[in-house]
Amino acid sequence: MNKIYKPNRTDWNEILKRPTQTIDAIEDIVNDIFKEVKKDGDAILRKYTQQFDGVSLDDLLVSALEVEEARTLVSDNLKTAIRLAKSNIETFHKAQITDRVEIETTSGVLCWQEKRPIQKVGLYIPGGTAPLFSTILMLAIPANIAGCKEIVLCSPPDKEGKLNPAILYTAQLCGVSQIFKVGGIQAIAGMTFGTESIPQVYKIFGPGNQFVTVAKQIATKYGVAIDMPAGPSELLVVADDTADAAFVASDLLSQAEHGTDSQVILVSTSEKMIDAVELEVEKQIKDLPRKKIARKAIENSKLIYVEDDGTAIDLINVYGPEHYIICSKNEDFYIDNTFNAGSVFIGNYTPESAGDYASGTNHTLPTNGYAKQYSGVNLDSFMKSMTFQKITEKGIEKIGNAIEVMAEAEGLQAHKNAITLRLNSLK
Amino acid sequence: MNKIYKPNRTDWNEILKRPTQTIDAIEDIVNDIFKEVKKDGDAILRKYTQQFDGVSLDDLLVSALEVEEARTLVSDNLKTAIRLAKSNIETFHKAQITDRVEIETTSGVLCWQEKRPIQKVGLYIPGGTAPLFSTILMLAIPANIAGCKEIVLCSPPDKEGKLNPAILYTAQLCGVSQIFKVGGIQAIAGMTFGTESIPQVYKIFGPGNQFVTVAKQIATKYGVAIDMPAGPSELLVVADDTADAAFVASDLLSQAEHGTDSQVILVSTSEKMIDAVELEVEKQIKDLPRKKIARKAIENSKLIYVEDDGTAIDLINVYGPEHYIICSKNEDFYIDNTFNAGSVFIGNYTPESAGDYASGTNHTLPTNGYAKQYSGVNLDSFMKSMTFQKITEKGIEKIGNAIEVMAEAEGLQAHKNAITLRLNSLK
């Protein structure tokens, strides 16, 4: 682990640099597959499912029978856990429902703002070694609360042409409308254009490898919205002597096991804590099944000693961490002064994994410093705000002249006429 | 005008098609200028200001003296109008302030969501024939209410190296931090990377020609967020016999004068109304200063007769208009069943130009069908939502086991360990 003592502010950007991703090289591949899917639909989805997932499928849609079978394959223990998580996530996201905002800005000029659901959304769930059913909870639950009419899910099949039972069980539990056995670039392209089997959607959510990430970015060119741009997952812990070194180490490792490019940072005002965490990481890492991955991420991790909380908070705001644990006697100072972070975990008994699975907050969060300008996924991510106005005759008499003057000053005479005609009709 | 009677649903997509924009051709130019600005900063901004705006500038920053001078050049009449608009826009956007959402999802598991301002935002205001000071109201007012720390504005100078006084007056009135005399692709690149004079920002807002639009899209590749993708402005009016044909015509024309590619659509359940509006458009268009532009847009406009309100609403939701006027005896039916629209204007005395300037709603709205998945600019556009969680010892005992089970099922042992360590410490 890299220990850094009192770094100069001028060096912060260099120290906090994320690994650069080379997107340009992938773009051509993605563009080509998009063009193919747009033209030939399902046939192309099948072709790439054969090529990348090694299985030939007649039907891309998961059948009711398969879903039923999956239900019998998931252990009761896991079902109970998933249902508890669902309940908490539902509670938190239902609390985010907002009333319409309505106000008379001038007497006779009534304006209101309402949020309405995005009608068709697509969820992407990666395949591979870990079946990320928890991400289905994080996406399908708010989509349902928002009232999205069509919730489509795509995930790559295994070599037997199956999806993991936990994925099917969770998708069904959370009200996903249709589940498709297709992954990668071709899945994103399918939801972008629509094919014979996959419906076209208006917004695509969910994580993925660099191919999926670039595919989502390309999808925006074709008018589809995405949840947010994605980069490797990351955790920053700020800890003083009130923290528990073993707990902190376990949190850093839970981030590190995600991938070799995971970002792990400890900021501390205590040299003692830094040394203790370093020892604990060494101790705990040995028994991890994914220790090879974790070891690599830990090699690039940073333990940064700063002299005071003020310096720490400035550094944290420059970084803008996705996950952010605060274990400090001055926790309120950190809570109040953090402007850039995705999800914040406060105190010794609030590990990141709580938010990953079951506290109720969403785990789809801005990485790569995007916490500076992007929200994590929340209920509003599945809605859009619309505004309404209704003006009475009295109301237009009040604001009409101002509009005429401004329209004229902007050289837009027809805009002015629309007012003048109405004002004249009231004379 | 193109009159279309009872079109088949299968033809709707064709009828409602927007003009396609060719972005690919511009992309190379934009990419090149971005690379130049990234490398050589202000020098490149000056080079292109000379080339495109025809003026050589030493200082890109507008001075306090220039702002002071502008104030004396704006008529009192216009100042009063701008201040009235500001008051209404402030009232409506302040009403959008939300409290933090806080809830205990499980006893001992406290979760909350808070919105915090994006620290640095950039506003782009186009130059050209019409000085769009109204757009400054729409962007700087909510940025200020949100609490953004730095609000940077870029707008191209005229051949004398000046900005329009109404732009400077409005920018100062609405609390813009710094105003720069730079426009086009180079302005967007400047705010994306930061230069010697222009600060780097986290999110860029505002309209522009196709070069600016593509530049904003390219900016997202470099980690900057944008308000939304943009296309030509558009208006859809739904009107029955309770509408006033002259008013409707004036609204269609106020949209048509924006540009030759403006989209103008009337949907009506009354053939009589369609004919009356057509006549009124011909009558009113003659006296418009921008009649050449309006004429071209009107030529491509569509007057669509449908047999009933149910058909009308389906067609409107397929289109997803940016601006949407409802003049119908069944206005509530349309209000309740419209899922895709930017800003809605209800009744005979609510012209689109009211929302463009002074009703209080925002005029930066999703075009090109993006109302299906994007919000118009609103207070939240200048903030991001962050989540927090604080779990007590009792709380982690309640949800810890579920997290362990789920982490294990996803193959993430270190995630499980972070819980197990804590649970063991409580035994």
Side-chain angles (χ1 to χ4, degrees):
Chain A
M1 303 180 88
N2 307 297
K3 288 203 252 184
I4 302 163
Y5 285 86
K6 297 196 200 177
N8 281 328
R9 278 173 192 254
T10 47
D11 297 332
W12 284 3
N13 275 328
E14 190 54 35
I15 290 168
L16 298 173
K17 217 173 184 174
R18 274 108 169 160
T20 38
Q21 294 170 287
T22 48
I23 278 177
D24 288 352
I26 300 175
E27 259 190 33
D28 289 344
I29 303 169
V30 173
N31 276 321
D32 287 348
I33 295 182
F34 265 61
K35 275 177 201 142
E36 283 186 273
V37 171
K38 188 176 180 185
K39 189 168 163 280
D40 290 323
D42 279 351
I44 302 300
L45 301 187
R46 283 200 197 88
K47 170 181 143 187
Y48 285 112
T49 303
Q50 171 81 66
Q51 187 172 324
F52 296 131
D53 305 306
V55 59
S56 167
L57 292 176
D58 284 335
D59 210 345
L60 299 168
L61 181 70
V62 171
S63 70
L65 204 71
E66 286 174 283
V67 174
E68 204 38 62
E69 188 194 44
R71 186 200 296 267
T72 65
L73 292 172
V74 177
S75 73
D76 286 344
N77 209 14
L78 182 55
K79 278 183 193 162
T80 308
I82 288 173
R83 280 199 299 262
L84 178 141
K86 176 168 182 274
S87 164
N88 285 352
I89 296 164
E90 249 170 21
T91 301
F92 187 57
H93 288 79
K94 273 188 185 162
Q96 294 168 26
I97 296 173
T98 42
D99 290 330
R100 85 184 212 181
V101 171
E102 181 176 304
I103 197 156
E104 231 182 8
T105 55
T106 291
S107 159
V109 181
L110 184 70
C111 297
W112 71 94
Q113 180 199 37
E114 255 179 71
K115 289 174 190 154
R116 300 206 171 168
I118 298 172
Q119 300 292 296
K120 303 174 186 193
V121 297
L123 317 183
Y124 184 78
I125 302 296
T129 47
L132 297 182
F133 57 85
S134 61
T135 301
I136 304 176
L137 293 167
M138 298 297 172
L139 300 177
I141 290 172
N144 243 303
I145 297 170
C148 302
K149 284 231 179 92
E150 264 186 273
I151 305 171
V152 173
L153 188 150
C154 288
S155 191
D158 63 19
K159 293 214 183 321
E160 278 71 52
K162 298 256 184 195
L163 293 184
N164 185 289
I167 287 190
L168 296 184
Y169 171 76
T170 311
Q172 150 114 71
L173 185 72
C174 298
V176 168
S177 327
Q178 290 184 295
I179 308 166
F180 294 96
K181 291 183 261 191
V182 51
I185 301 166
Q186 61 274 21
I188 305 299
M191 292 192 280
T192 299
F193 302 119
T195 67
E196 298 89 325
S197 52
I198 301 184
Q200 185 179 35
V201 303
Y202 300 151
K203 190 169 181 178
I204 298 175
F205 297 78
N209 61 19
Q210 53 183 343
F211 293 99
V212 170
T213 300
V214 174
K216 281 172 66 187
Q217 197 158 26
I218 298 293
T220 65
K221 271 204 199 178
Y222 294 97
V224 176
I226 60 170
D227 47 359
M228 69 190 85
S233 193
E234 57 197 31
L235 167 68
L236 184 148
V237 180
V238 63
D240 62 14
D241 282 324
T242 65
D244 180 309
F247 293 179
V248 172
S250 75
D251 294 329
L252 295 177
L253 285 169
S254 73
Q255 188 57 43
E257 78 173 337
H258 271 302
T260 53
D261 55 359
S262 284
Q263 297 284 293
V264 174
I265 295 175
L266 170 66
V267 176
S268 183
T269 50
S270 158
E271 295 188 48
K272 224 173 77 192
M273 181 55 61
I274 285 180
D275 293 339
V277 169
E278 192 181 24
L279 277 175
E280 273 292 338
V281 166
E282 276 313 310
K283 206 171 112 191
Q284 293 179 28
I285 202 169
K286 291 181 193 133
D287 301 327
L288 292 181
R290 293 166 73 98
K291 67 180 153 217
K292 266 199 184 159
I293 293 171
R295 177 76 67 192
K296 197 108 188 171
I298 286 293
E299 271 169 23
N300 296 318
S301 69
K302 275 150 195 152
L303 310 178
I304 306 174
Y305 170 75
V306 292
E307 51 270 61
D308 52 45
D309 291 327
T311 310
I313 197 78
D314 287 349
L315 185 141
I316 290 161
N317 278 322
V318 166
Y319 186 66
E322 179 195 14
H323 302 101
Y324 171 38
I325 298 181
I326 300 170
C327 293
S328 163
K329 59 178 179 294
N330 298 321
E331 66 180 35
D332 285 342
F333 170 80
Y334 285 99
I335 295 172
D336 293 345
N337 292 292
T338 299
F339 294 112
N340 305 319
S343 196
V344 187
F345 302 79
I346 301 153
N348 288 330
Y349 287 89
T350 315
E352 189 209 303
S353 46
D356 287 339
Y357 291 106
S359 65
T361 62
N362 209 292
H363 79 200
T364 309
L365 296 166
T367 55
N368 204 29
Y370 289 129
K372 288 171 185 164
Q373 64 269 72
Y374 287 95
S375 306
V377 165
N378 59 79
L379 183 62
D380 282 352
S381 311
F382 296 89
M383 314 188 85
K384 64 258 160 88
S385 127
M386 287 166 57
T387 50
F388 299 80
Q389 51 244 288
K390 189 169 180 179
I391 304 177
T392 64
E393 300 170 15
K394 285 259 185 294
I396 201 71
E397 280 177 335
K398 289 230 164 106
I399 66 170
N401 183 244
I403 298 169
E404 289 179 312
V405 170
M406 291 172 76
E408 178 134 43
E410 287 194 349
L412 296 173
Q413 195 67 33
H415 282 64
K416 183 183 173 185
N417 281 359
I419 302 295
T420 311
L421 268 178
R422 283 163 168 98
L423 291 181
N424 286 342
S425 81
L426 297 171
K427 271 177 188 163
Chain B
M1 302 181 89
N2 307 299
K3 288 202 251 186
I4 302 162
Y5 286 86
K6 297 196 200 177
N8 282 328
R9 278 172 191 255
T10 46
D11 297 332
W12 284 3
N13 275 328
E14 190 55 34
I15 290 168
L16 298 173
K17 216 174 187 172
R18 274 103 170 167
T20 37
Q21 294 170 289
T22 47
I23 278 176
D24 288 350
I26 299 174
E27 259 190 30
D28 289 344
I29 302 168
V30 174
N31 276 321
D32 287 347
I33 295 182
F34 264 60
K35 274 176 202 143
E36 284 186 273
V37 171
K38 188 177 181 186
K39 189 166 164 282
D40 290 324
D42 279 353
I44 302 301
L45 301 187
R46 284 201 197 88
K47 171 183 145 187
Y48 285 113
T49 304
Q50 171 82 64
Q51 186 174 324
F52 295 131
D53 304 306
V55 60
S56 166
L57 292 178
D58 284 334
D59 210 345
L60 300 168
L61 181 69
V62 171
S63 69
L65 203 74
E66 287 175 283
V67 174
E68 204 37 62
E69 188 194 45
R71 184 201 296 267
T72 65
L73 293 172
V74 177
S75 74
D76 285 345
N77 210 14
L78 182 54
K79 280 183 193 163
T80 307
I82 289 173
R83 280 198 299 262
L84 179 140
K86 177 171 181 274
S87 165
N88 284 352
I89 296 163
E90 251 171 17
T91 301
F92 187 56
H93 288 78
K94 274 189 185 162
Q96 294 167 26
I97 295 173
T98 42
D99 290 329
R100 86 184 208 180
V101 172
E102 181 177 304
I103 197 155
E104 231 182 7
T105 55
T106 292
S107 162
V109 181
L110 185 68
C111 298
W112 71 96
Q113 180 198 41
E114 255 180 70
K115 289 173 190 156
R116 300 206 171 168
I118 298 172
Q119 300 291 296
K120 304 174 185 195
V121 297
L123 318 182
Y124 185 79
I125 303 296
T129 48
L132 297 182
F133 57 86
S134 62
T135 302
I136 304 177
L137 293 167
M138 298 298 173
L139 300 177
I141 290 173
N144 242 302
I145 296 170
C148 302
K149 283 233 179 91
E150 265 187 89
I151 306 171
V152 173
L153 187 150
C154 288
S155 191
D158 63 19
K159 290 214 184 323
E160 278 72 51
K162 299 257 183 195
L163 293 184
N164 185 289
I167 286 191
L168 295 185
Y169 171 76
T170 312
Q172 148 113 68
L173 184 73
C174 297
V176 168
S177 326
Q178 290 184 293
I179 308 166
F180 294 96
K181 291 184 264 191
V182 53
I185 301 167
Q186 62 273 23
I188 305 300
M191 292 191 279
T192 299
F193 302 117
T195 68
E196 298 90 323
S197 51
I198 301 183
Q200 185 179 33
V201 303
Y202 300 151
K203 189 168 182 178
I204 297 174
F205 297 78
N209 59 22
Q210 54 184 344
F211 293 98
V212 170
T213 300
V214 175
K216 281 172 66 187
Q217 196 157 27
I218 298 293
T220 65
K221 270 205 201 179
Y222 294 96
V224 176
I226 60 171
D227 45 0
M228 69 190 84
S233 193
E234 56 197 32
L235 168 68
L236 184 148
V237 181
V238 63
D240 63 14
D241 282 323
T242 66
D244 180 307
F247 294 177
V248 172
S250 75
D251 293 328
L252 295 177
L253 285 169
S254 73
Q255 188 57 44
E257 77 172 338
H258 271 302
T260 53
D261 56 359
S262 284
Q263 297 283 294
V264 176
I265 295 176
L266 171 65
V267 176
S268 183
T269 49
S270 158
E271 297 188 47
K272 224 174 79 192
M273 180 55 60
I274 284 179
D275 293 339
V277 169
E278 192 180 26
L279 276 176
E280 272 292 337
V281 165
E282 276 313 310
K283 206 171 112 189
Q284 293 178 28
I285 202 169
K286 289 180 193 134
D287 301 326
L288 291 181
R290 295 166 70 98
K291 68 181 154 217
K292 265 198 182 158
I293 293 171
R295 177 75 68 192
K296 197 106 190 177
I298 286 293
E299 271 170 23
N300 296 318
S301 68
K302 275 148 195 154
L303 310 178
I304 306 174
Y305 170 76
V306 292
E307 50 271 63
D308 53 45
D309 292 326
T311 310
I313 197 77
D314 287 349
L315 183 139
I316 290 161
N317 278 323
V318 167
Y319 186 66
E322 177 195 13
H323 303 100
Y324 171 39
I325 298 180
I326 301 170
C327 293
S328 163
K329 60 178 178 296
N330 299 321
E331 65 180 36
D332 284 342
F333 170 80
Y334 284 99
I335 294 171
D336 293 344
N337 292 292
T338 300
F339 294 110
N340 306 320
S343 196
V344 187
F345 302 79
I346 303 153
N348 287 331
Y349 286 91
T350 314
E352 187 209 302
S353 46
D356 287 339
Y357 291 107
S359 65
T361 61
N362 209 293
H363 79 200
T364 309
L365 296 166
T367 55
N368 205 29
Y370 289 128
K372 288 171 186 165
Q373 65 269 74
Y374 288 95
S375 306
V377 165
N378 59 79
L379 183 62
D380 282 352
S381 310
F382 296 89
M383 313 186 87
K384 61 258 160 64
S385 127
M386 285 165 57
T387 50
F388 299 79
Q389 52 245 287
K390 190 171 180 176
I391 305 178
T392 63
E393 300 170 16
K394 286 256 184 292
I396 201 72
E397 280 176 336
K398 290 230 163 106
I399 66 170
N401 183 246
I403 299 169
E404 288 179 312
V405 170
M406 292 171 77
E408 178 133 43
E410 287 193 351
L412 297 173
Q413 195 65 34
H415 283 63
K416 183 183 173 189
N417 281 359
I419 302 294
T420 311
L421 267 179
R422 283 164 169 97
L423 291 181
N424 286 343
S425 80
L426 296 172
K427 269 179 193 161

